[in-house]
Amino acid sequence: MPKAPTKLHFTTSDEANELIATDPFALLVGFAIDQQVPVTTAFTGPLKLKERLGTIDPAKVAKTDPGKLEEIFRESPAIHRYPGTMAARVHDLAGVVVEEYGGDASRLWSEAADSADLKQRIAALPGFGDMKIRQLSSVLAKRYGVRAAQELAPKHPSLGDVDSADSLASYQAQKRAYKAALRASADD
């Protein structure tokens, strides 16, 4: 099993990269808000939330008034282009982590019996569809050595393959090309 990383290279901020690598809930928050914004914006979000709220502890996030959390997401520069929706999603995510995993987000994968169980656990999180299940599984399998995630990880390049600023740029270019190809085939 690979040693857990001290940094994931999903942003241009060393501090944000360290937070998402070492705090399982921060990693989940990044994935939860990784929608209709660049990956670097989504994964900088957990650090902004921690700086503005003073914590990223799921129990404290879950207890935060939803209106206050939305204000924090809206504060300039906004954490996400859809601050209200994403603040509610993160609030709900924190509640699930507290209720289902005793506030320890890593239990989501460390206690999964197998890949089917892990897939079901991830799918139960607010805002986690099939693509996020595959992407999170890729990171868990390739960066953390989570055995249950290996079967769920996609075979094509994914966030789990990002291990440097250069590989992040390459991943983003591949993702843009893939989306362009999908749009072109839809136009045919």
Side-chain angles (χ1 to χ4, degrees), residues 3-9 14-15 17-22 144:
K3 183 180 173 192
T6 56
K7 189 184 292 186
L8 293 172
H9 300 271
D14 284 341
E15 192 176 358
N17 290 339
E18 290 167 9
L19 179 64
I20 60 174
T22 60
Y144 295 89

Side-chain angles (χ1 to χ4, degrees), residues 15-33:
E15 192 176 358
N17 290 339
E18 290 167 9
L19 179 64
I20 60 174
T22 60
D23 186 311
F25 184 65
L27 180 64
L28 290 181
V29 169
F31 273 101
I33 65 174

Side-chain angles (χ1 to χ4, degrees), residues 57-160:
D57 177 85
K60 292 180 180 170
V61 173
K63 288 181 182 174
T64 301
D65 175 73
K68 179 179 180 188
L69 199 56
E70 184 175 336
E71 286 175 23
I72 289 168
F73 267 72
R74 286 185 186 284
E75 185 180 315
S76 186
I79 292 176
H80 195 278
R81 68 186 286 192
Y82 299 109
T85 300
M86 294 304 156
R89 180 177 290 171
V90 169
H91 191 266
D92 292 347
L93 175 65
V96 170
V97 168
V98 169
E99 286 179 31
E100 299 295 322
Y101 304 103
D104 180 356
S106 71
R107 287 179 52 202
L108 177 83
W109 53 85
S110 67
E111 296 178 357
D114 55 25
S115 61
D117 185 33
L118 179 59
K119 183 176 183 178
Q120 184 176 16
R121 288 166 175 248
I122 299 170
L125 299 175
F128 281 73
D130 191 53
M131 186 186 319
K132 286 186 188 180
I133 292 169
R134 291 192 313 267
Q135 290 292 333
L136 176 57
S137 294
S138 174
V139 172
L140 293 175
K142 295 176 181 180
R143 298 286 146 228
Y144 295 89
V146 175
R147 192 176 315 253
Q150 292 173 354
E151 196 177 302
L152 302 172
K155 304 300 180 225
H156 58 77
S158 65
L159 273 175

Side-chain angles (χ1 to χ4, degrees), residues 50-61:
K50 182 179 182 182
E51 290 170 346
R52 295 173 186 183
L53 185 59
T55 184
I56 191 128
D57 177 85
K60 292 180 180 170
V61 173

